[in-house]
Amino acid sequence: MLELLYLKNWNSIDGLGALIITPTRELAYQIYEVLNKVGKHHSFSAGLVIGGKDLKFEWKRIRCNILICTPGRLLQHMTENPDFSVENLQMLVLDEADLCLSLGFEDAMNDILGELPTERQTLLFSATQTRNLENLVRAGCKNPIFCSVHEFSKTVTPKTLQESYVVYSESEKINFLFSFLRHHKKKKILVFVSTCKQVKFIFDLFTHLKPGLTVMALHGNMNQLRRMAVFDEFCNKKRAVLFATNVASRGLDIPSVDWVLQLDCPEDIKTYIHRVGRTARHTSTGEALLVLTPSQEEPMVNTLKANNIPIEKIIVNARELIDIRAAVESNLSKFTGLKDEAERAFKNYIKNFCYNFMKNKKVFDVTSLDLDAYARSLGLTVTPKYSFFKRFLLKNSLKMKNDTSATDLKASGKRIKNTAKTSSLGVTEDDDSEDEFLHRSESQPVKTDGNPEDILKDYSLYINPSKEVLSKSYIANKLQKKNVELNKRVVFDDEGNLLKLNKNEEDSLEGIKPGISLVERQQFLKAQDVEDKKQNTLRIKEMHRLEKEKLKALKQKLKNKVDDEDMLEERDEDYDDDDEDDENEDSSFTNQIINDLPDPDKIYDNKSGSSSSSDSDSEEEEEQFDESSIELNKKKRKDKKEVIEEVAIKNKNRDKVNEGNSTENMEKKTKSKQNFSGKRKAKEEAKAAKKAKLSAENDFGSISCSEKESLALYLLQNT
Ligand SMILES: Nc1ncnc2c1ncn2[C@@H]1O[C@H](COP(=O)(O)OP(=O)(O)OP(=O)(O)O)[C@@H](O)[C@H]1O
C-alpha cells in the first residue's frame, strides 16, 4: 500500500488514496499503530476512524491519505461529512475480509462498497478466507488471485501450536477455569467465553477470588478508551489473564501469549482457528485448550479433525481441581451487583447457546443443558426464570432431559476418578504446578501461602470425589499428613516471584503456635465439658434455693395477713365496747343512726340472691379465708369508720343547733339505751352473718360498693 502510493507520488492534495477496513476497533487501532511505525519515513497522512470516539474531532481530521476504520463509523462519515471524499481511492484493504463480508456487516459493507470507485486494487486478508465467489464479486474483485501461506501445509493451524481439549459439563467449567489459572500463575493467558455478560461476571468474580495473577477483561460493551487501555496493558504484561469475547479473537497481535483457553465451545471452525491464532504467532510456541461438554465432545472433535486441526484430549488431575462453588456463592451474597451479573451471564449464555443451536444442532444440543447445575455453578441458589428458553424449546418442539444433571455429574465424577488413575497426555512445561495439574498422578504435598484459617478455607474448596462432608478434623488430619507448614507467611510480587519478609513482619507472627494439634484440641474440649457441667449444677442449685425462698416469703406474708385480720377483729370488738362506754356521752345519737342504718348485707343479699348458699357453706368457706376477703373486710371497715366520722361531725353541728331541744334529746337517749341491748344482739348476729357472707363472696368486689351506696343513700336522705 505504501509502495503503491509512493510510486504514484501521492501527496496531501490528492486526498484519500488507501482505505483499510477492519471488523473490530482494536484491530484498526493496532494497524494504525503499526502503520505509524512502518511509514514513519513517508510524508503520507494517516487517520483512525472507529466507533466510540469523538465524531466531531474526527470530522475535521478525516481528510488524509490513508484511512483505517471500522465499517459502521466509516459509513457515518460517508453519509454525514461533506468534507469526506473517496473519489481518488487507489486501494481498498479488507482485513478479516470473511468477517467484513459476512452477515453481521452486510448492510454497512454493501453501502460502503457501493460508494467506492470501481477502478481500484482490492486486497482481502484472512486466515479463513474462502473462495466464495459471491463475496469476492461483492468486494469488487475482478480476476482474483488467491495467496495462502499454509496452502501446502498438512494442518490449518501453526505447527508450533499445541492443541488439546478437556471435557467438563457447564456446571464444572468455572471450577476448572479457577483451577487452571491457579496452576498457571506465571503465564499469559487469553480466555474466550461466548458473551460480554459472561466476561463481565467472570472478571468481577475472579477479581474477588484472586486466582494468583492479574485479571483483565475485554468485551464489546466496554468504553472505547478503556478497551484500548486494557488491550495495551495486556500487550505489555508478562503474566496475566484476559477474559474476552470474540472481539479479541481476530487479527490482534498480542505478544507472547502462552495459553488460549476456550471456556465455551466456538460456534464454528473459523472462530476456533482465529481464537487459537492469538498464540504461537510467527515463530513462537503456544498452547490452546478447548473446553467441551460431554455432549459436544464427539461432534466437535470430529469436525476439528475433519478440518485438519490436530487436537488431543488432555487429562486433568482430579485431585488438583478446586471447587469454588461455596466461595462463589458467598461472594454473590457479599457483593451487591454480582448476583445480577451472574443472572445476566446465565441468561446470555443460554441465549447464545440457542442461537448456535440453530447453526449446529449436533455440537450445541440444547436438550443437554442442565440449567439448574449451571446456575448453581455461577453461585445462583435459584435458577433464574427464563421464558425465552421455554419458548425456544416449545418453538423447536424440544424436550429437556430430566435426569441430565445427575447423569452428567455421575459421568464426570467417574471420569475424574478414572483419569486420576491413568497418566495424562500432552503438555510439557517446566512449571511444576502445571505438571501437577495436567500430568500428576502421584499425590504431592499441597503448597500453601496463608495462615491456618485461610488454608482450611482454601482446602475446603477442593473437590471431595466421594462427595462426603469434610469435617474440620478431617481437613486438619489431611493437612498434617501432607506436612503442611502452617503460620508461615509467604509473599509474592506482581510477577509471582517469592519475596523475603522483613524482620518486623516475621516478628508479627512469632506469638502464633504453628500446627494443629488434635490431641490438644480434644483435651481442651474435655476440660470445657467438665467446666460446663459444674456451671450447670451450680445453676440448678441456685434455682432451687430461690424457689424455696420465694415459697417461704409467700407463707410468711399469708401468716402476717391472718394475724392482721385477727387484730382488726379485736379492734372491732374494742370499738363496739367503746360505743358502749360512750353511751353516756353526746355521741349516743350517732350510735342510734348507725343502728338505724339499713344492713348492707341484707341489701347485698337481696341484690345477689345468694344468701342461702353462702349461709349453708359458711363454715367451710371460712376455712378458705384468703387474702381478698381480708382486703375486703379492711376496706369495709375503713368505709364504715369514715361514714361514722362524718356522721359524728354532722351530729356535733346538729347538737349545736339543737341545744335548745335537750329534752327531746334526753328522751331519745333513754329510748336508745332501752333498745341498746336488743340492738347489740341483732348487730352481733348481723356481723357474724356478714362475715360468713363476705368469706363466701370474696370473689365479688361489689360488696363494699353496695354497702357504701346504701350508707350514702341513707345519709343523703337524713341530711
Ligand atoms: N516477515 C516477518 N518477519 C518478522 N516478523 C513477522 C514477519 N511477518 C509477520 N511477522 C510477525 O508475526 C506476527 C503475526 O503477523 P500478522 O499480524 O501480520 O499475522 P496475520 O496473518 O495478520 O495474523 P492474523 O491472522 O491474526 O490477522 C506479528 O507479530 C508480526 O510482527
Coordinates of all heavy atoms in Angstrom, one line a residue, residues 401-481:
K401 N -33.9 -33.2 28.9 CA -33.7 -34.5 29.5 C -33.8 -34.2 31.0 O -33.1 -33.4 31.6 CB -32.3 -35.0 29.2 CG -32.2 -35.6 27.8 CD -30.8 -35.9 27.5 CE -30.6 -36.1 26.0 NZ -29.2 -36.1 25.6
N402 N -34.7 -35.0 31.7 CA -35.0 -34.7 33.1 C -33.8 -35.0 34.0 O -33.5 -34.3 34.9 CB -36.2 -35.6 33.6 CG -37.5 -35.1 33.0 OD1 -37.6 -33.9 32.7 ND2 -38.4 -35.9 32.8
D403 N -33.1 -36.1 33.7 CA -32.0 -36.5 34.6 C -30.7 -36.2 34.0 O -29.7 -36.8 34.3 CB -32.1 -38.0 34.8 CG -32.1 -38.8 33.5 OD1 -32.3 -38.2 32.5 OD2 -32.0 -40.0 33.6
T404 N -30.6 -35.1 33.2 CA -29.3 -34.7 32.6 C -28.3 -34.5 33.7 O -27.2 -35.0 33.6 CB -29.5 -33.5 31.7 OG1 -30.7 -33.6 31.1 CG2 -28.3 -33.3 30.8
S405 N -28.7 -33.7 34.7 CA -27.7 -33.2 35.6 C -27.1 -34.4 36.4 O -25.9 -34.5 36.5 CB -28.3 -32.2 36.6 OG -29.3 -32.9 37.3
A406 N -28.0 -35.3 36.8 CA -27.5 -36.4 37.6 C -26.5 -37.3 36.8 O -25.4 -37.6 37.2 CB -28.7 -37.2 38.1
T407 N -26.9 -37.6 35.6 CA -26.1 -38.4 34.7 C -24.8 -37.8 34.4 O -23.7 -38.4 34.4 CB -26.8 -38.9 33.5 OG1 -27.3 -37.7 32.8 CG2 -27.9 -39.9 33.7
D408 N -24.9 -36.5 34.1 CA -23.7 -35.7 33.8 C -22.7 -35.7 34.9 O -21.5 -35.9 34.7 CB -24.1 -34.2 33.5 CG -24.4 -34.1 32.0 OD1 -24.4 -35.1 31.3 OD2 -24.6 -32.9 31.5
L409 N -23.2 -35.4 36.1 CA -22.4 -35.3 37.3 C -21.7 -36.7 37.5 O -20.5 -36.8 37.8 CB -23.2 -34.9 38.5 CG -23.4 -33.4 38.6 CD1 -24.3 -33.0 39.7 CD2 -22.1 -32.6 38.7
K410 N -22.6 -37.7 37.5 CA -22.0 -39.1 37.7 C -21.0 -39.4 36.7 O -19.9 -39.9 37.0 CB -23.2 -40.1 37.6 CG -23.9 -40.2 38.9 CD -25.0 -41.3 38.7 CE -26.0 -41.2 39.9 NZ -27.2 -41.9 39.6
A411 N -21.3 -39.1 35.4 CA -20.3 -39.4 34.3 C -19.0 -38.6 34.6 O -17.9 -39.2 34.5 CB -20.9 -39.0 33.0
S412 N -19.2 -37.3 34.9 CA -17.9 -36.5 35.1 C -17.2 -37.0 36.3 O -16.0 -37.0 36.3 CB -18.3 -35.1 35.2 OG -19.1 -34.9 36.3
G413 N -17.9 -37.4 37.4 CA -17.3 -37.9 38.6 C -16.5 -39.2 38.3 O -15.3 -39.3 38.7
K414 N -17.1 -40.1 37.5 CA -16.4 -41.3 37.1 C -15.2 -41.0 36.3 O -14.1 -41.5 36.5 CB -17.3 -42.2 36.2 CG -18.2 -43.1 37.0 CD -19.0 -43.9 36.1 CE -20.1 -44.6 36.9 NZ -21.1 -45.3 36.0
R415 N -15.4 -40.0 35.4 CA -14.3 -39.6 34.5 C -13.1 -39.1 35.3 O -12.0 -39.5 35.1 CB -14.8 -38.5 33.5 CG -13.8 -38.4 32.4 CD -14.4 -37.4 31.4 NE -14.7 -36.1 31.9 CZ -15.9 -35.6 32.1 NH1 -17.0 -36.4 31.7 NH2 -16.1 -34.5 32.6
I416 N -13.4 -38.3 36.3 CA -12.4 -37.7 37.1 C -11.6 -38.8 37.9 O -10.4 -38.9 37.9 CB -13.0 -36.7 38.2 CG1 -13.4 -35.4 37.4 CG2 -12.0 -36.4 39.2 CD1 -14.2 -34.5 38.2
K417 N -12.4 -39.8 38.4 CA -11.8 -40.9 39.2 C -10.9 -41.7 38.2 O -9.7 -42.0 38.6 CB -12.8 -41.8 39.8 CG -13.4 -41.2 41.1 CD -14.4 -42.2 41.6 CE -15.2 -41.5 42.7 NZ -16.3 -42.2 43.1
N418 N -11.4 -42.0 37.1 CA -10.6 -42.8 36.1 C -9.4 -42.1 35.7 O -8.3 -42.7 35.6 CB -11.5 -43.2 34.9 CG -12.6 -44.1 35.3 OD1 -12.5 -44.8 36.3 ND2 -13.7 -44.1 34.5
T419 N -9.6 -40.8 35.3 CA -8.5 -40.1 34.8 C -7.4 -39.9 35.9 O -6.2 -39.8 35.5 CB -8.9 -38.7 34.3 OG1 -9.6 -38.1 35.4 CG2 -9.7 -38.8 33.1
A420 N -7.8 -39.8 37.1 CA -6.8 -39.7 38.2 C -5.8 -40.9 38.2 O -4.7 -40.8 38.5 CB -7.4 -39.5 39.5
K421 N -6.3 -42.1 37.8 CA -5.5 -43.3 37.9 C -4.6 -43.3 36.7 O -3.4 -43.7 36.8 CB -6.4 -44.5 37.9 CG -7.0 -44.7 39.3 CD -8.0 -45.9 39.3 CE -8.8 -45.9 40.5 NZ -10.0 -46.8 40.4
T422 N -5.1 -42.9 35.5 CA -4.3 -43.1 34.3 C -3.4 -41.9 34.2 O -3.6 -40.8 34.7 CB -5.2 -43.1 33.1 OG1 -6.0 -42.0 33.1 CG2 -6.0 -44.4 33.0
S423 N -2.3 -42.0 33.4 CA -1.4 -40.9 33.2 C -2.0 -40.0 32.1 O -2.8 -40.5 31.3 CB 0.0 -41.4 32.8 OG -0.1 -42.1 31.6
S424 N -1.6 -38.8 32.1 CA -2.2 -37.8 31.1 C -1.3 -37.6 29.9 O -0.2 -38.0 29.8 CB -2.3 -36.5 31.8 OG -1.1 -36.0 32.0
L425 N -2.0 -37.0 28.9 CA -1.3 -36.7 27.7 C -0.7 -35.3 27.8 O -1.0 -34.6 28.7 CB -2.3 -36.8 26.5 CG -2.9 -38.1 26.2 CD1 -4.1 -37.8 25.3 CD2 -2.0 -39.1 25.7
G426 N 0.0 -35.0 26.8 CA 0.1 -33.6 26.5 C 1.2 -32.7 26.9 O 2.2 -32.7 26.3
V427 N 1.0 -31.8 27.8 CA 1.7 -30.6 27.9 C 3.1 -30.8 28.6 O 3.1 -31.4 29.7 CB 0.9 -29.5 28.6 CG1 1.6 -28.2 28.6 CG2 -0.4 -29.5 28.1
T428 N 4.1 -30.4 28.0 CA 5.4 -30.5 28.7 C 5.9 -29.1 29.0 O 6.1 -28.2 28.2 CB 6.5 -31.1 27.7 OG1 6.4 -30.5 26.5 CG2 6.3 -32.6 27.6
E429 N 5.9 -28.8 30.3 CA 6.2 -27.5 30.8 C 7.2 -27.6 31.9 O 7.3 -28.6 32.6 CB 4.9 -26.8 31.4 CG 4.1 -26.1 30.3 CD 4.8 -24.8 29.8 OE1 5.6 -24.2 30.5 OE2 4.5 -24.5 28.7
D430 N 8.0 -26.6 32.1 CA 8.9 -26.6 33.2 C 8.3 -26.3 34.5 O 8.7 -26.7 35.5 CB 10.0 -25.5 32.9 CG 10.9 -25.8 31.7 OD1 10.9 -27.0 31.4 OD2 11.4 -24.9 31.1
D431 N 7.1 -25.6 34.4 CA 6.4 -25.2 35.6 C 5.9 -26.5 36.3 O 5.0 -27.2 35.8 CB 5.3 -24.3 35.2 CG 4.7 -23.6 36.4 OD1 4.5 -24.3 37.5 OD2 4.5 -22.4 36.4
D432 N 6.3 -26.7 37.6 CA 5.9 -27.9 38.3 C 4.4 -27.9 38.5 O 3.7 -28.9 38.4 CB 6.6 -27.9 39.7 CG 8.0 -28.3 39.6 OD1 8.4 -28.9 38.5 OD2 8.8 -28.0 40.5
S433 N 3.9 -26.7 38.9 CA 2.5 -26.6 39.2 C 1.6 -27.0 38.1 O 0.6 -27.7 38.2 CB 2.2 -25.2 39.7 OG 1.2 -24.6 39.0
E434 N 2.0 -26.7 36.9 CA 1.2 -27.0 35.7 C 1.3 -28.5 35.4 O 0.3 -29.2 35.1 CB 1.8 -26.3 34.5 CG 1.4 -24.8 34.5 CD 2.2 -24.1 33.4 OE1 2.3 -24.6 32.3 OE2 2.6 -23.0 33.7
D435 N 2.5 -29.1 35.7 CA 2.6 -30.5 35.5 C 1.7 -31.3 36.5 O 1.1 -32.3 36.1 CB 4.1 -31.0 35.8 CG 5.0 -30.6 34.6 OD1 4.4 -30.2 33.6 OD2 6.2 -30.6 34.8
E436 N 1.6 -30.8 37.7 CA 0.7 -31.4 38.7 C -0.7 -31.4 38.2 O -1.4 -32.3 38.4 CB 0.9 -30.7 40.0 CG 2.1 -31.1 40.8 CD 2.4 -30.1 41.9 OE1 1.5 -29.3 42.3 OE2 3.6 -30.1 42.3
F437 N -1.1 -30.2 37.6 CA -2.4 -30.0 37.2 C -2.8 -30.9 36.0 O -3.8 -31.5 36.0 CB -2.7 -28.6 36.9 CG -4.1 -28.2 36.5 CD1 -5.1 -28.4 37.5 CD2 -4.4 -27.8 35.3 CE1 -6.4 -28.1 37.2 CE2 -5.7 -27.5 35.0 CZ -6.7 -27.6 35.9
L438 N -1.9 -31.0 35.1 CA -2.2 -31.7 33.8 C -1.6 -33.1 33.8 O -2.1 -33.9 33.0 CB -1.7 -30.9 32.6 CG -2.3 -29.5 32.5 CD1 -1.6 -28.7 31.5 CD2 -3.8 -29.6 32.2
H439 N -0.6 -33.4 34.5 CA 0.0 -34.7 34.4 C 0.0 -35.5 35.7 O 0.0 -36.8 35.6 CB 1.5 -34.5 34.0 CG 1.7 -34.0 32.7 ND1 2.0 -34.7 31.6 CD2 1.7 -32.7 32.2 CE1 2.1 -34.0 30.5 NE2 2.0 -32.7 30.9
R440 N 0.1 -34.9 36.8 CA 0.4 -35.6 38.0 C -0.5 -36.7 38.3 O -1.7 -36.6 38.3 CB 0.4 -34.6 39.2 CG 1.3 -35.0 40.3 CD 1.3 -33.9 41.3 NE 0.0 -33.8 41.9 CZ -0.3 -32.8 42.8 NH1 0.7 -32.0 43.2 NH2 -1.5 -32.7 43.3
S441 N 0.0 -37.8 38.7 CA -0.8 -38.9 39.1 C -0.5 -39.3 40.6 O -1.3 -39.9 41.2 CB -0.6 -40.2 38.2 OG 0.7 -40.5 38.2
E442 N 0.7 -39.0 41.1 CA 1.0 -39.3 42.5 C 0.7 -38.1 43.3 O 0.8 -36.9 42.9 CB 2.5 -39.6 42.6 CG 2.9 -40.9 42.0 CD 4.4 -41.1 41.9 OE1 5.1 -40.3 42.6 OE2 4.8 -41.9 41.1
S443 N 0.4 -38.4 44.6 CA 0.0 -37.2 45.5 C 1.2 -36.5 45.9 O 2.3 -37.1 46.2 CB -0.8 -37.8 46.7 OG 0.1 -38.5 47.5
Q444 N 1.1 -35.2 45.9 CA 2.2 -34.3 46.3 C 1.7 -33.4 47.5 O 0.5 -33.1 47.6 CB 2.5 -33.4 45.1 CG 3.0 -34.1 43.9 CD 4.4 -34.6 44.0 OE1 5.2 -34.0 44.7 NE2 4.7 -35.7 43.4
P445 N 2.7 -32.9 48.3 CA 2.3 -32.0 49.4 C 1.7 -30.7 48.8 O 2.1 -30.2 47.7 CB 3.6 -31.6 50.1 CG 4.6 -32.6 49.6 CD 4.1 -33.1 48.3
V446 N 0.6 -30.3 49.5 CA -0.1 -29.1 49.0 C 0.7 -27.9 49.4 O 1.2 -27.7 50.5 CB -1.5 -29.0 49.6 CG1 -2.1 -27.7 49.3 CG2 -2.3 -30.2 49.2
K447 N 1.0 -27.0 48.4 CA 1.7 -25.8 48.7 C 0.8 -24.7 49.3 O -0.3 -24.5 48.7 CB 2.4 -25.2 47.5 CG 3.5 -26.1 47.0 CD 4.1 -25.6 45.7 CE 5.2 -26.5 45.2 NZ 5.6 -26.2 43.9
T448 N 1.1 -24.1 50.4 CA 0.2 -23.1 51.0 C 1.0 -21.8 51.2 O 2.2 -21.8 51.3 CB -0.3 -23.6 52.3 OG1 0.9 -23.8 53.1 CG2 -1.1 -24.8 52.2
D449 N 0.2 -20.7 51.2 CA 0.9 -19.4 51.4 C 0.0 -18.5 52.3 O 0.1 -17.3 52.1 CB 1.1 -18.8 50.0 CG -0.2 -18.6 49.2 OD1 -1.2 -19.1 49.7 OD2 -0.1 -17.9 48.2
G450 N -0.7 -19.1 53.2 CA -1.5 -18.2 54.0 C -1.5 -18.7 55.5 O -0.8 -19.6 55.9
N451 N -2.4 -18.1 56.3 CA -2.5 -18.5 57.7 C -3.4 -19.8 57.8 O -4.1 -20.1 56.8 CB -3.0 -17.4 58.6 CG -4.3 -16.9 58.1 OD1 -5.2 -17.7 57.7 ND2 -4.5 -15.6 58.0
P452 N -3.4 -20.5 58.9 CA -4.2 -21.7 59.0 C -5.6 -21.6 58.7 O -6.2 -22.5 58.0 CB -4.0 -22.1 60.5 CG -2.8 -21.4 61.0 CD -2.7 -20.2 60.2
E453 N -6.2 -20.5 59.1 CA -7.7 -20.3 58.7 C -7.9 -20.3 57.2 O -8.8 -20.9 56.7 CB -8.2 -18.9 59.3 CG -8.3 -18.9 60.8 CD -9.5 -19.8 61.2 OE1 -10.5 -19.7 60.6 OE2 -9.3 -20.6 62.2
D454 N -7.0 -19.5 56.5 CA -7.1 -19.4 55.1 C -6.9 -20.8 54.4 O -7.5 -21.2 53.5 CB -6.1 -18.4 54.5 CG -6.5 -17.0 54.9 OD1 -7.7 -16.8 55.3 OD2 -5.6 -16.1 54.8
I455 N -5.9 -21.5 55.0 CA -5.6 -22.8 54.4 C -6.8 -23.7 54.6 O -7.2 -24.4 53.6 CB -4.4 -23.4 55.1 CG1 -3.1 -22.6 54.7 CG2 -4.2 -24.9 54.8 CD1 -2.0 -22.7 55.7
L456 N -7.4 -23.7 55.8 CA -8.6 -24.6 56.0 C -9.7 -24.2 55.0 O -10.3 -25.0 54.4 CB -9.1 -24.4 57.4 CG -8.3 -25.1 58.5 CD1 -8.8 -24.8 59.8 CD2 -8.1 -26.6 58.2
K457 N -9.8 -22.9 54.8 CA -10.9 -22.4 53.9 C -10.6 -22.8 52.5 O -11.4 -23.3 51.8 CB -10.9 -20.8 54.0 CG -12.3 -20.3 54.2 CD -12.3 -18.8 54.0 CE -11.8 -18.0 55.2 NZ -11.6 -16.6 55.0
D458 N -9.3 -22.6 52.1 CA -8.9 -23.0 50.8 C -9.0 -24.5 50.5 O -9.5 -24.9 49.5 CB -7.4 -22.6 50.6 CG -7.3 -21.1 50.1 OD1 -8.4 -20.5 49.9 OD2 -6.2 -20.7 50.0
Y459 N -8.6 -25.2 51.5 CA -8.6 -26.7 51.4 C -10.0 -27.2 51.2 O -10.3 -28.1 50.5 CB -7.9 -27.3 52.5 CG -7.5 -28.7 52.2 CD1 -6.2 -28.9 51.5 CD2 -8.3 -29.8 52.4 CE1 -5.8 -30.2 51.2 CE2 -7.9 -31.1 52.0 CZ -6.7 -31.3 51.4 OH -6.3 -32.5 51.0
S460 N -11.0 -26.5 51.9 CA -12.3 -26.9 51.8 C -12.9 -26.7 50.4 O -13.9 -27.3 50.1 CB -13.2 -26.2 52.8 OG -13.3 -24.9 52.4
L461 N -12.2 -26.0 49.6 CA -12.6 -25.8 48.2 C -12.3 -27.0 47.3 O -12.9 -27.1 46.3 CB -11.9 -24.5 47.6 CG -12.3 -23.2 48.3 CD1 -11.4 -22.1 47.7 CD2 -13.7 -22.9 48.1
Y462 N -11.4 -27.8 47.8 CA -11.0 -28.9 46.9 C -12.2 -29.9 46.8 O -12.9 -30.2 47.8 CB -9.8 -29.6 47.5 CG -8.5 -28.9 47.1 CD1 -8.1 -27.8 47.8 CD2 -7.7 -29.4 46.1 CE1 -7.0 -27.1 47.4 CE2 -6.6 -28.7 45.7 CZ -6.2 -27.6 46.4 OH -5.1 -26.9 46.0
I463 N -12.3 -30.4 45.6 CA -13.4 -31.3 45.4 C -13.1 -32.6 46.1 O -12.0 -33.1 46.1 CB -13.5 -31.7 43.9 CG1 -14.1 -30.5 43.1 CG2 -14.3 -32.9 43.6 CD1 -14.2 -30.7 41.6
N464 N -14.1 -33.1 46.8 CA -14.0 -34.3 47.5 C -14.7 -35.3 46.6 O -16.0 -35.3 46.5 CB -14.7 -34.3 48.9 CG -14.7 -35.5 49.6 OD1 -13.9 -36.5 49.2 ND2 -15.4 -35.6 50.7
P465 N -14.0 -36.2 45.9 CA -14.7 -37.1 44.9 C -15.8 -37.9 45.5 O -16.8 -38.2 44.8 CB -13.5 -38.0 44.5 CG -12.3 -37.3 44.9 CD -12.6 -36.5 46.1
S466 N -15.7 -38.3 46.8 CA -16.8 -39.1 47.4 C -18.0 -38.3 47.7 O -19.0 -38.8 48.2 CB -16.2 -39.9 48.6 OG -15.8 -38.9 49.5
K467 N -17.9 -37.0 47.6 CA -19.0 -36.0 47.9 C -19.4 -36.1 49.4 O -20.5 -35.8 49.8 CB -20.2 -36.3 47.1 CG -20.0 -36.2 45.6 CD -19.9 -34.8 45.1 CE -19.6 -34.8 43.6 NZ -19.0 -33.6 43.1
E468 N -18.4 -36.5 50.3 CA -18.7 -36.6 51.7 C -18.5 -35.2 52.3 O -17.7 -34.4 51.7 CB -17.7 -37.5 52.4 CG -18.1 -39.0 52.2 CD -16.9 -39.8 52.6 OE1 -16.0 -39.3 53.3 OE2 -17.0 -41.0 52.3
V469 N -19.2 -34.9 53.4 CA -19.0 -33.6 54.0 C -17.6 -33.6 54.7 O -17.3 -34.6 55.5 CB -20.1 -33.4 55.1 CG1 -19.9 -32.0 55.8 CG2 -21.5 -33.4 54.4
L470 N -16.8 -32.6 54.5 CA -15.5 -32.5 55.1 C -15.6 -31.9 56.4 O -15.9 -30.7 56.5 CB -14.5 -31.8 54.2 CG -14.3 -32.3 52.8 CD1 -13.4 -31.4 52.0 CD2 -13.8 -33.7 52.8
S471 N -15.2 -32.6 57.5 CA -15.2 -32.0 58.8 C -13.9 -31.3 59.0 O -12.9 -31.6 58.3 CB -15.4 -33.1 59.9 OG -14.3 -34.0 59.9
K472 N -13.8 -30.5 60.0 CA -12.6 -29.7 60.3 C -11.5 -30.7 60.7 O -10.3 -30.5 60.3 CB -12.8 -28.7 61.3 CG -13.5 -27.4 60.8 CD -13.4 -26.3 61.8 CE -14.0 -25.1 61.1 NZ -14.1 -23.9 62.0
S473 N -11.8 -31.7 61.5 CA -10.8 -32.6 62.0 C -10.3 -33.4 60.8 O -9.1 -33.7 60.7 CB -11.3 -33.6 63.0 OG -12.4 -34.3 62.5
Y474 N -11.2 -33.8 59.8 CA -10.8 -34.5 58.6 C -9.7 -33.7 57.8 O -8.7 -34.1 57.5 CB -12.0 -34.8 57.7 CG -11.7 -35.3 56.4 CD1 -11.5 -36.7 56.2 CD2 -11.6 -34.5 55.3 CE1 -11.2 -37.2 54.9 CE2 -11.3 -35.0 54.0 CZ -11.1 -36.4 53.8 OH -10.8 -36.9 52.6
I475 N -10.1 -32.4 57.7 CA -9.2 -31.5 57.0 C -7.8 -31.3 57.7 O -6.8 -31.4 57.1 CB -9.8 -30.1 56.7 CG1 -11.1 -30.3 55.8 CG2 -8.9 -29.1 56.1 CD1 -12.0 -29.1 55.8
A476 N -7.9 -31.2 59.0 CA -6.7 -31.0 59.8 C -5.8 -32.2 59.7 O -4.6 -32.1 59.5 CB -7.1 -30.8 61.3
N477 N -6.4 -33.4 59.8 CA -5.7 -34.6 59.6 C -5.0 -34.7 58.3 O -3.8 -35.1 58.2 CB -6.6 -35.8 59.7 CG -6.7 -36.4 61.1 OD1 -5.7 -36.4 61.8 ND2 -7.8 -36.9 61.5
K478 N -5.7 -34.3 57.2 CA -5.2 -34.3 55.9 C -4.0 -33.4 55.8 O -2.9 -33.7 55.2 CB -6.3 -33.9 54.9 CG -7.2 -35.0 54.5 CD -6.8 -35.6 53.3 CE -7.6 -36.9 53.0 NZ -7.0 -37.7 51.9
L479 N -4.2 -32.2 56.4 CA -3.1 -31.2 56.3 C -1.9 -31.7 57.0 O -0.7 -31.5 56.6 CB -3.6 -29.9 56.9 CG -4.6 -29.1 56.1 CD1 -5.1 -27.9 56.9 CD2 -3.9 -28.5 54.8
Q480 N -2.1 -32.3 58.2 CA -1.0 -32.9 58.9 C -0.2 -33.9 58.1 O 1.0 -34.0 58.1 CB -1.5 -33.4 60.2 CG -1.6 -32.4 61.3 CD -1.9 -32.9 62.7 OE1 -2.5 -34.0 62.8 NE2 -1.7 -32.2 63.7
K481 N -1.0 -34.8 57.5 CA -0.4 -35.9 56.8 C 0.5 -35.3 55.6 O 1.4 -35.9 55.2 CB -1.4 -36.8 56.2 CG -1.9 -37.9 57.2 CD -3.0 -38.7 56.6 CE -3.6 -39.5 57.7 NZ -4.9 -40.2 57.2

